[in-house]
Amino acid sequence: MKKGEHSRLVVKSKYAFHTEGCSQYQIPPNADLEYEIELKKFEKAKETWEMDTAEKLEISEICKNKGSEFFKANMLTIAVKYYKRIEEYLKSEDSLPLQGDEAKKRKTLLLAAHLNLAMCYLKLKEDYLACKSCDSALELVPKSEKGLYRRGTANLNLQNFDLSLADFNAVLAIDPQNKAAKSQILLANQKKKKFQECEKQMYSTMFKKLAAESEVKIPPTTCR
């Protein structure tokens, strides 16, 4: 686009408000959105390698706020893009000896990005990706309650019951009064028991069928 030009953008429902819609803007479920935009001004953004640490931290803060706005509006796929940008900007700072406020701010922003990505992925039912984001968060802060709880939830959805229970119990080790973790432990144990019962029934049926198919009828012998 050139300055002053108009364009029409169509956003499919899966990239907008999904099946939930948005009552605030009177948008029904599964609705495609159409926007008319005008380019009033623009400036060429710097490439990541052209930025210094202060600039990366500043734009990462902007991305976090933008991501949160889209998350609250339930535009999750767009929120994911903003949170992933924070990772792209700040991961490259691993090799730099940051100290003081810069090091603290980098860690805070990265932790927020990982945790917020995990929440987005949980809502999008991308549980494996949610686990990976939580792993990254827990590398920064091993006793992050949100990181442990969200990873436990993702593992529960993936039917990794033992891993899920380990995470929820780790949350309780940090905060024994965490009611949400206690509730999830009960749910995980119930689902684990039901899964084991279904598995037992499946194998029992399978072995009975195999046994029946393997039976060999021996014809009676006749004496001569």
Side-chain angles (χ1 to χ4, degrees):
M1 288 181 67
K2 296 180 179 179
K3 187 175 180 180
E5 281 189 338
H6 291 255
S7 289
R8 183 173 68 91
L9 298 179
V10 177
V11 182
K12 293 295 184 181
S13 63
K14 67 179 181 178
Y15 299 115
F17 296 101
H18 298 272
T19 56
E20 290 83 0
C22 182
S23 58
Q24 181 181 354
Y25 300 109
Q26 297 182 334
I27 297 173
N30 299 311
D32 296 339
L33 305 182
E34 185 174 315
Y35 297 92
E36 182 177 336
I37 62 172
E38 177 187 359
L39 181 60
K40 293 186 174 181
K41 63 178 182 178
F42 69 93
E43 60 181 54
K44 187 178 184 300
K46 285 185 176 181
E47 297 290 343
T48 303
W49 57 269
E50 296 178 302
M51 298 179 186
D52 60 25
T53 300
E55 289 174 316
K56 289 178 183 178
L57 290 171
E58 181 181 1
I59 198 166
S60 293
E61 184 70 41
I62 293 171
C63 287
K64 181 174 79 72
N65 293 334
K66 283 287 186 182
S68 297
E69 288 176 15
F70 285 111
F71 179 85
K72 290 174 183 176
N74 205 38
M75 299 176 73
L76 301 175
T77 53
I78 300 177
V80 164
K81 290 181 180 179
Y82 277 101
Y83 293 136
K84 285 185 75 66
R85 285 184 190 175
I86 298 173
E87 292 183 331
E88 292 168 6
Y89 289 131
L90 300 183
K91 282 281 189 179
S92 61
E93 302 300 291
D94 279 341
S95 59
L96 297 179
L98 299 184
Q99 295 179 349
D101 291 341
E102 283 189 338
K104 184 178 180 181
K105 188 170 184 179
R106 175 186 177 275
K107 183 176 181 179
T108 299
L109 286 168
L110 266 180
L111 179 64
H114 297 322
L115 292 174
N116 291 343
L117 273 172
M119 181 56 78
C120 288
Y121 287 138
L122 284 172
K123 286 180 172 288
L124 290 167
K125 302 187 185 305
E126 297 279 1
D127 296 297
Y128 175 76
L129 293 177
C131 278
K132 300 301 289 182
S133 291
C134 289
D135 287 343
S136 296
L138 291 164
E139 285 179 12
L140 288 172
V141 181
K143 291 188 177 182
S144 167
E145 285 188 55
K146 289 181 179 179
L148 290 165
Y149 183 87
R150 291 173 190 177
R151 189 173 67 180
T153 301
N155 274 317
L156 179 56
N157 294 338
L158 292 168
Q159 297 186 331
N160 297 329
F161 301 113
D162 291 337
L163 292 175
S164 176
L165 287 166
D167 281 334
F168 293 134
N169 281 309
V171 172
L172 290 183
I174 299 167
D175 177 14
Q177 304 306 316
N178 193 306
K179 294 181 179 180
K182 291 180 180 180
S183 177
Q184 289 292 76
I185 287 173
L186 290 174
L187 180 61
N189 279 319
Q190 290 170 0
K191 287 192 171 185
K192 181 180 179 180
K193 182 179 179 181
K194 185 176 180 180
F195 179 83
Q196 289 173 334
E197 289 173 351
C198 290
E199 195 175 47
K200 182 179 179 181
Q201 181 63 39
M202 179 187 70
Y203 282 121
S204 175
T205 301
M206 183 178 68
F207 287 138
K208 286 179 181 178
K209 185 177 179 181
L210 288 173
E213 291 175 350
S214 64
E215 284 183 355
V216 178
K217 293 184 178 180
I218 303 173
T221 57
T222 56
C223 296
R224 292 184 181 180

